[in-house]
Amino acid sequence: MAAQCCCRKAPGADAAPARPPPEPPPALDVASASSARLFRLRHLQLGLELRPEARELAGCLVLELCARRPSPRALVLDAHPALRLHSAAFRRAPAAAAPPCAFAFAAGPGPAPPPPPRPAFPDAPAAEPAGRPLAFRLDPFTDYGSSLTVTLPPELPAHQPFQVILRYTSTDAPAIWWLEPELTYGRTKPFVFTQGHSVCNRSFFPCFDTPAVKCTYSAVVKAPSGVQVLMSATQSTYVEEEGVYRFHMEHPVPAYLVALVAGDLQPADIGPRSRVWAEPCLLPTATSKLSGAVEQWLSAAERLYGPYMWGRYDIVFLPPSFPIVAMENPCLTFIISSILESDEFLVIDVIHEVAHSWFGNAVTNATWEEMWLSEGLATYAQRRITTETYGAAFTCLETAFRLDALHRQMKLLGEDSPVSKLQVKLEPGVNPSHLMNLFTYEKGYCFVYYLSQLCGDPQRFDDFLRAYVDKYKFTSVVAQDLLDSFLSFFPELKEQSVDSRAGLEFERWLNAAGPPLAEPDLSQGSSLTRPVEALFRLWTAEPLDQATASARAVDISKWRTFQTALFLDRLLDGSPLPQEVVTSLSQCYSSLLDSMNAEIRIRWLQIVVRNDYYPDLHRVRRFLESQMSRMYTIPLYEDLCTGALKSFALDVFYQTQGRLHPNLRRTIQQILSQGLGPGGEQGAAAESETAPPALLRGDEAPGSAISLRDVNVSA
């Protein structure tokens, strides 16, 4: 297989032995710093009742633990103010793995809210109380969570299993998104989904909310009649006589990968181990676009990186309120339904989540400060898979599109911005979600790509990554684990001290701010990128009349989506443009672009707004009346409020606000009320603590009018 390209300097093994998880940096999070390393978490069980009328989840959490030393005084877990703890209890657990406990759910509605589920243990008499009561307290920790301290019995021996039972309710939690029927496509049934990345699942259930801690889990879920429930689990069943769904994840996963979705969802098989789930009206489109393709991508990934270890690979399409493009929840990728409009973005986003099955889900970054270990490796693997299935030219086009966006952000933020480091140092209490940016993906990708070029053959590097996954699967790692494994796998490179090459030191890759130290030569995609560059030059050349005549001869309707998006991004970079250029662009392209997918339309409409081109404002209005996704609405409202069109934005918002998710509605209200001046972004970002991490809008760049959302990113 030909390599994608060669490398140029940028401008400016065996199965893993049992081992404890790496210790997180101290003071990063209360639980992960002070308690997680004192215990071994064997398994967690959830009994959940969905109560959409009250927008409430009632839960019972059973944690199976062993103390690593005798008589620890307390167990400290990550929690959230949205959680109301009803009780905490302790019981001894059998030494051997016991079957999951059952849960008793309260009978129907009454004058008072029903209590949370109660556990029923198979090894205990039915009349026996569910454990010995424990004292607990919730303390504020940070604006995105709290610490839950549970006092343990004083005589607790080391290495003896025990269980802690916590009963709670969760309301208005940032991890749990409740949608009224009107906010779904079918408009008939309520919908709920969770989003745990990075540190939101502490509002779903108390947990060690750190990627350094992994365990298996099981769940029993009771939902209203007619509502389909799905979770990120290897086994799923519906027990009709009990009216509950049962789930089991047999492989250890970090807390953020425990995910749930429930609503009017129907399945359709698209391959021997894959199906799509979607609302009925979306199912035919989702099936037709992905039938056969997912198995092709899984097979390509297996040839590169070894067997797919999660059993099934299903996909659920969520309403436009899903806060990010896609999330790699194991066995069940979550993806926003609006991406179905764009075939190429759909392909890339799903393949990226497929790649996470090896990089991120199986082998996980142990701290959020090294998120590139998941995202950079997944992006590299994604591009190897696309090269295998669609050729190097397409891969280089998509890479050029993303790196173009990376340099745009670099220009906005400045080359000394700390968020451009691969290893960003988090201060205590800083939300790790703020680190999810293009540098995590693209600078991380460039480093991984550089490593692949050092060994001279991408197939040899594939062999290394296969051995790396096999060695560390189902554990969490730090960057040094990857780099040490790399040098051990290629001893000749270690002898050459490639980790210390001047200007390209591994340590500098990790800790220097600025652009990537080396980038791929994307010349294999020149047949696709050259026409884009040529057309852009025509539209910025003089005299305009002559250039326009030449430009009109280029039929962009035959272009790939990434070509058109790259062309429009270049025009956006040059905005504001001369008014006669915008007028000619509209005459030439407006009707054509208006018929294309949302990824194209959003870019053209941003050009319209940034250039105050009033004749096409009706298209902006129509777009905002039909698109309810954060990734399409937020950029337009930001641009409208930055310029002279704020009154237009207010008018559109007041007409459409009833169809927006409440969290998105609050964000837009803050943009409209505060604009994007020096304090504006901080106000707009305030909502991020009441909602899961969204496409980043500039929290890392206070005062910048344009933010880290110019390219949609998957988790």
Side-chain angles (χ1 to χ4, degrees):
M1 177 61 58
Q4 294 174 24
C5 37
C6 59
C7 210
R8 61 177 173 82
K9 197 78 173 285
D14 295 325
R19 61 173 191 151
E23 291 191 5
L28 194 60
D29 233 359
V30 166
S32 55
S34 69
S35 194
R37 60 179 175 263
L38 303 180
F39 299 91
R40 182 169 71 89
L41 179 59
R42 303 200 310 173
H43 187 74
L44 69 84
Q45 301 178 65
L46 287 165
L48 305 172
E49 182 176 5
L50 307 180
R51 301 172 179 172
E53 314 80 24
R55 301 171 69 87
E56 178 182 270
L57 179 143
C60 179
L61 170 68
V62 180
L63 293 172
E64 298 182 8
L65 303 130
C66 290
R68 295 188 185 275
R69 65 188 188 200
S71 301
R73 288 186 296 176
L75 170 69
V76 183
L77 299 171
D78 290 310
H80 193 274
L83 288 177
R84 178 189 170 203
L85 264 292
H86 294 262
S87 65
F90 168 90
R91 74 186 295 269
R92 303 285 181 187
C101 69
F103 292 93
F105 296 90
R118 290 185 178 277
F121 296 97
D123 60 334
E128 181 180 293
R132 167 182 169 183
L134 296 175
F136 63 89
R137 73 173 191 271
L138 273 165
D139 298 312
F141 166 56
T142 181
D143 56 1
Y144 62 85
S146 307
S147 65
L148 169 62
T149 302
V150 180
T151 303
L152 296 175
E155 70 280 6
L156 192 65
H159 309 299
Q160 294 297 311
F162 65 95
Q163 293 173 326
V164 171
I165 303 106
L166 303 170
R167 298 173 68 228
Y168 66 95
T169 52
S170 185
T171 308
D172 292 328
I176 308 169
W177 289 52
W178 299 95
L179 304 182
E180 301 298 331
E182 294 74 24
L183 295 181
T184 67
Y185 286 99
R187 299 174 178 262
T188 59
K189 295 180 182 179
F191 203 102
V192 64
F193 59 85
T194 67
Q195 168 61 11
H197 197 286
S198 303
V199 287
C200 286
N201 262 3
R202 62 188 64 193
S203 67
F204 182 9
F205 55 93
C207 57
F208 294 122
D209 203 359
T210 165
V213 176
K214 291 184 170 186
C215 74
T216 57
Y217 83 87
S218 54
V220 179
V221 185
K222 185 176 178 61
S225 177
V227 172
Q228 174 71 51
V229 181
L230 306 170
M231 289 192 76
S232 54
T234 50
Q235 300 171 30
S236 305
T237 57
Y238 177 63
V239 186
E240 187 172 359
E241 61 272 18
E242 299 177 26
V244 299
Y245 292 86
R246 294 187 180 276
F247 302 96
H248 182 76
M249 168 52 77
E250 64 188 279
H251 304 303
V253 295
Y256 77 89
L257 290 178
V258 179
L260 177 148
V261 59
D264 185 12
L265 295 167
Q266 293 185 359
D269 288 337
I270 55 170
R273 47 184 164 172
S274 301
R275 65 171 60 100
V276 291
W277 294 85
E279 292 187 66
C281 61
L282 290 178
L283 196 59
T285 300
T287 304
S288 65
K289 287 182 178 283
L290 290 174
S291 185
V294 172
E295 182 60 29
Q296 182 184 17
W297 303 332
L298 285 171
S299 298
E302 287 184 314
R303 290 193 297 272
L304 294 169
Y305 306 122
Y308 178 72
M309 59 201 80
W310 302 96
R312 294 198 60 80
Y313 187 92
D314 292 353
I315 299 170
V316 58
F317 285 92
L318 302 185
S321 295
F322 188 54
I324 57 178
V325 179
M327 180 62 204
E328 67 271 17
N329 300 311
C331 307
L332 186 69
T333 284
F334 285 20
I335 192 162
I336 195 167
S337 53
S338 47
I339 208 72
L340 283 167
E341 289 190 23
S342 172
D343 291 351
E344 289 182 19
F345 279 86
L346 175 66
V347 165
I348 292 300
D349 288 326
V350 175
I351 293 178
H352 185 85
E353 308 315 316
V354 166
H356 268 308
S357 302
W358 286 262
F359 306 101
N361 293 2
V363 185
T364 309
N365 47 280
T367 83
W368 291 121
E369 293 182 323
E370 295 187 326
M371 200 184 303
W372 74 273
L373 277 171
S374 291
E375 297 301 346
L377 281 162
T379 302
Y380 177 86
Q382 162 213 311
R383 289 174 180 155
R384 287 290 290 128
I385 296 167
T386 57
T387 298
E388 291 284 305
T389 51
Y390 300 105
F394 175 74
T395 300
C396 288
L397 170 65
E398 186 261 336
T399 306
F401 169 74
R402 304 292 188 186
L403 290 178
D404 199 57
L406 180 74
H407 287 289
R408 187 177 308 120
Q409 295 308 324
M410 195 82 268
K411 192 179 300 181
L412 289 167
L413 298 175
E415 294 199 0
D416 59 349
S417 171
V419 303
S420 63
K421 297 180 180 180
L422 288 184
Q423 289 185 329
V424 180
K425 300 306 178 186
L426 278 172
E427 294 298 321
V430 173
N431 193 332
S433 299
H434 297 337
L435 298 184
M436 195 168 175
N437 56 50
L438 288 173
F439 301 100
T440 301
Y441 292 75
E442 298 304 331
K443 189 173 181 178
Y445 160 76
C446 287
F447 184 29
V448 177
Y449 190 89
Y450 171 70
L451 295 178
S452 77
Q453 295 301 296
L454 286 176
C455 69
D457 180 354
Q459 292 183 346
R460 286 190 72 206
F461 192 68
D462 294 337
D463 293 340
F464 158 67
L465 289 179
R466 179 191 286 252
Y468 165 77
V469 170
D470 190 54
K471 179 177 181 180
Y472 290 113
K473 63 185 175 185
F474 307 132
T475 70
S476 301
V477 299
V478 296
Q480 202 59 49
D481 292 323
L482 172 70
L483 299 178
D484 288 347
S485 297
F486 175 76
L487 293 175
S488 296
F489 195 88
F490 298 105
E492 70 278 14
L493 297 180
K494 186 174 184 178
E495 291 177 6
Q496 298 168 23
S497 300
V498 295
D499 56 325
S500 303
R501 285 185 178 175
L504 292 165
E505 299 92 343
F506 289 0
E507 189 278 334
R508 188 177 177 197
W509 268 105
L510 295 176
N511 294 304
L517 304 183
E519 293 182 9
D521 171 10
L522 302 175
S523 58
Q524 290 193 65
S526 60
S527 62
L528 298 174
T529 56
R530 266 200 312 265
V532 175
E533 295 160 358
L535 186 60
F536 174 72
R537 285 196 299 270
L538 285 174
W539 280 110
T540 52
E542 294 187 4
L544 179 63
D545 291 344
Q546 181 177 336
T548 300
S550 300
R552 288 179 183 274
V554 179
D555 184 6
I556 68 170
S557 68
K558 301 292 194 297
W559 279 10
R560 290 181 174 272
T561 295
F562 281 118
Q563 288 178 289
T564 308
L566 184 60
F567 169 61
L568 295 175
D569 278 347
R570 297 285 171 84
L571 292 174
L572 268 171
D573 287 343
S575 294
L577 299 163
Q579 197 64 24
E580 61 270 21
V581 171
V582 181
T583 301
S584 295
L585 282 167
S586 178
Q587 292 170 351
C588 192
Y589 301 127
S590 190
S591 295
L592 172 64
L593 298 175
D594 203 36
S595 66
M596 292 186 176
N597 62 67
E599 289 291 339
I600 299 300
R601 299 203 307 279
I602 179 65
R603 287 169 165 79
W604 168 245
L605 296 177
Q606 284 184 271
I607 293 171
V608 167
V609 170
R610 291 188 193 179
N611 289 279
D612 296 328
Y613 187 66
Y614 294 97
D616 271 1
L617 275 185
H618 68 284
R619 302 182 193 275
V620 177
R621 178 184 293 273
R622 191 168 70 242
F623 186 83
L624 289 174
E625 287 173 346
S626 63
Q627 294 290 339
M628 302 297 136
S629 166
R630 299 180 66 89
M631 65 183 182
Y632 299 134
T633 54
I634 294 295
L636 275 175
Y637 276 108
E638 285 184 339
D639 285 343
L640 286 166
C641 291
T642 302
L645 294 168
K646 189 170 181 178
S647 60
F648 171 85
L650 282 165
D651 181 52
V652 175
F653 173 71
Y654 287 135
Q655 292 187 36
T656 60
Q657 61 177 324
R659 302 200 300 276
L660 301 173
H661 187 280
N663 290 327
L664 175 58
R665 191 184 309 145
R666 284 195 293 270
T667 301
I668 297 174
Q669 285 172 332
Q670 287 161 343
I671 292 171
L672 292 168
S673 64
Q674 300 183 35
L676 290 173
E681 288 206 357
Q682 295 170 3
E687 178 269 344
S688 68
E689 304 312 332
T690 61
L695 296 179
L696 296 180
R697 301 192 324 278
D699 300 325
E700 298 80 4
S704 167
I706 304 174
S707 56
L708 298 181
R709 48 80 179 145
D710 286 336
V711 172
N712 65 19
V713 292
S714 308

Tab-separated table of all heavy atoms in Angstrom, residues 13-14 462-472 489:
chain	number	residue	atom	x	y	z
A	13	ALA	N	3.217	-6.624	20.424
A	13	ALA	CA	4.066	-7.171	21.359
A	13	ALA	C	3.320	-8.181	22.194
A	13	ALA	O	2.432	-8.805	21.750
A	13	ALA	CB	4.737	-6.140	22.244
A	14	ASP	N	3.576	-8.024	23.286
A	14	ASP	CA	2.975	-9.121	24.073
A	14	ASP	C	1.754	-8.600	24.811
A	14	ASP	O	1.556	-7.405	24.951
A	14	ASP	CB	3.984	-9.677	25.090
A	14	ASP	CG	5.161	-10.321	24.388
A	14	ASP	OD1	4.924	-10.918	23.313
A	14	ASP	OD2	6.299	-10.216	24.888
A	462	ASP	N	1.892	0.473	11.048
A	462	ASP	CA	0.636	-0.222	11.358
A	462	ASP	C	0.902	-1.418	12.271
A	462	ASP	O	0.152	-1.670	13.222
A	462	ASP	CB	-0.045	-0.711	10.076
A	462	ASP	CG	-0.514	0.418	9.179
A	462	ASP	OD1	-0.725	1.536	9.672
A	462	ASP	OD2	-0.655	0.169	7.959
A	463	ASP	N	1.983	-2.161	11.975
A	463	ASP	CA	2.334	-3.313	12.805
A	463	ASP	C	2.644	-2.877	14.237
A	463	ASP	O	2.272	-3.553	15.203
A	463	ASP	CB	3.534	-4.050	12.214
A	463	ASP	CG	3.219	-4.708	10.879
A	463	ASP	OD1	2.022	-4.933	10.599
A	463	ASP	OD2	4.169	-4.992	10.124
A	464	PHE	N	3.345	-1.751	14.363
A	464	PHE	CA	3.622	-1.242	15.701
A	464	PHE	C	2.330	-0.884	16.431
A	464	PHE	O	2.151	-1.255	17.606
A	464	PHE	CB	4.531	-0.013	15.629
A	464	PHE	CG	4.423	0.854	16.855
A	464	PHE	CD1	4.873	0.401	18.086
A	464	PHE	CD2	3.832	2.121	16.785
A	464	PHE	CE1	4.742	1.187	19.223
A	464	PHE	CE2	3.691	2.903	17.911
A	464	PHE	CZ	4.154	2.438	19.139
A	465	LEU	N	1.425	-0.179	15.761
A	465	LEU	CA	0.182	0.221	16.423
A	465	LEU	C	-0.657	-0.998	16.799
A	465	LEU	O	-1.322	-1.004	17.843
A	465	LEU	CB	-0.614	1.172	15.526
A	465	LEU	CG	-0.024	2.581	15.359
A	465	LEU	CD1	-0.894	3.414	14.432
A	465	LEU	CD2	0.136	3.289	16.712
A	466	ARG	N	-0.614	-2.024	15.970
A	466	ARG	CA	-1.329	-3.263	16.314
A	466	ARG	C	-0.747	-3.862	17.603
A	466	ARG	O	-1.493	-4.277	18.500
A	466	ARG	CB	-1.220	-4.268	15.165
A	466	ARG	CG	-1.922	-5.595	15.442
A	466	ARG	CD	-1.533	-6.621	14.387
A	466	ARG	NE	-2.168	-6.361	13.109
A	466	ARG	CZ	-3.150	-7.095	12.589
A	466	ARG	NH1	-3.611	-8.146	13.243
A	466	ARG	NH2	-3.660	-6.801	11.423
A	467	ALA	N	0.586	-3.892	17.714
A	467	ALA	CA	1.227	-4.423	18.919
A	467	ALA	C	0.950	-3.530	20.126
A	467	ALA	O	0.755	-4.019	21.249
A	467	ALA	CB	2.735	-4.556	18.684
A	468	TYR	N	0.936	-2.225	19.912
A	468	TYR	CA	0.631	-1.264	20.986
A	468	TYR	C	-0.768	-1.494	21.538
A	468	TYR	O	-0.977	-1.548	22.754
A	468	TYR	CB	0.798	0.146	20.417
A	468	TYR	CG	0.219	1.278	21.225
A	468	TYR	CD1	0.869	1.764	22.361
A	468	TYR	CD2	-0.968	1.899	20.824
A	468	TYR	CE1	0.349	2.830	23.078
A	468	TYR	CE2	-1.496	2.962	21.533
A	468	TYR	CZ	-0.840	3.421	22.656
A	468	TYR	OH	-1.367	4.481	23.365
A	469	VAL	N	-1.752	-1.669	20.647
A	469	VAL	CA	-3.120	-1.927	21.092
A	469	VAL	C	-3.197	-3.256	21.825
A	469	VAL	O	-3.842	-3.375	22.878
A	469	VAL	CB	-4.090	-1.894	19.896
A	469	VAL	CG1	-5.474	-2.402	20.299
A	469	VAL	CG2	-4.193	-0.484	19.319
A	470	ASP	N	-2.535	-4.268	21.279
A	470	ASP	CA	-2.586	-5.587	21.907
A	470	ASP	C	-1.962	-5.557	23.309
A	470	ASP	O	-2.441	-6.214	24.239
A	470	ASP	CB	-1.848	-6.599	21.030
A	470	ASP	CG	-2.061	-8.025	21.501
A	470	ASP	OD1	-3.224	-8.435	21.647
A	470	ASP	OD2	-1.062	-8.722	21.744
A	471	LYS	N	-0.924	-4.768	23.471
A	471	LYS	CA	-0.249	-4.692	24.771
A	471	LYS	C	-1.079	-3.939	25.800
A	471	LYS	O	-1.165	-4.341	26.962
A	471	LYS	CB	1.116	-4.017	24.608
A	471	LYS	CG	1.885	-3.883	25.918
A	471	LYS	CD	3.255	-3.264	25.681
A	471	LYS	CE	4.029	-3.168	26.996
A	471	LYS	NZ	5.368	-2.558	26.802
A	472	TYR	N	-1.707	-2.841	25.393
A	472	TYR	CA	-2.341	-1.947	26.357
A	472	TYR	C	-3.868	-1.955	26.317
A	472	TYR	O	-4.489	-1.145	27.004
A	472	TYR	CB	-1.849	-0.515	26.129
A	472	TYR	CG	-0.411	-0.291	26.500
A	472	TYR	CD1	0.534	0.006	25.517
A	472	TYR	CD2	0.003	-0.383	27.819
A	472	TYR	CE1	1.863	0.221	25.847
A	472	TYR	CE2	1.336	-0.169	28.164
A	472	TYR	CZ	2.252	0.129	27.174
A	472	TYR	OH	3.567	0.339	27.512
A	489	PHE	N	9.947	-1.041	19.805
A	489	PHE	CA	9.540	-1.772	18.606
A	489	PHE	C	10.511	-1.520	17.453
A	489	PHE	O	10.713	-2.389	16.597
A	489	PHE	CB	8.119	-1.351	18.208
A	489	PHE	CG	7.457	-2.265	17.226
A	489	PHE	CD1	6.731	-3.375	17.659
A	489	PHE	CD2	7.546	-2.031	15.859
A	489	PHE	CE1	6.116	-4.229	16.754
A	489	PHE	CE2	6.937	-2.872	14.938
A	489	PHE	CZ	6.221	-3.980	15.389
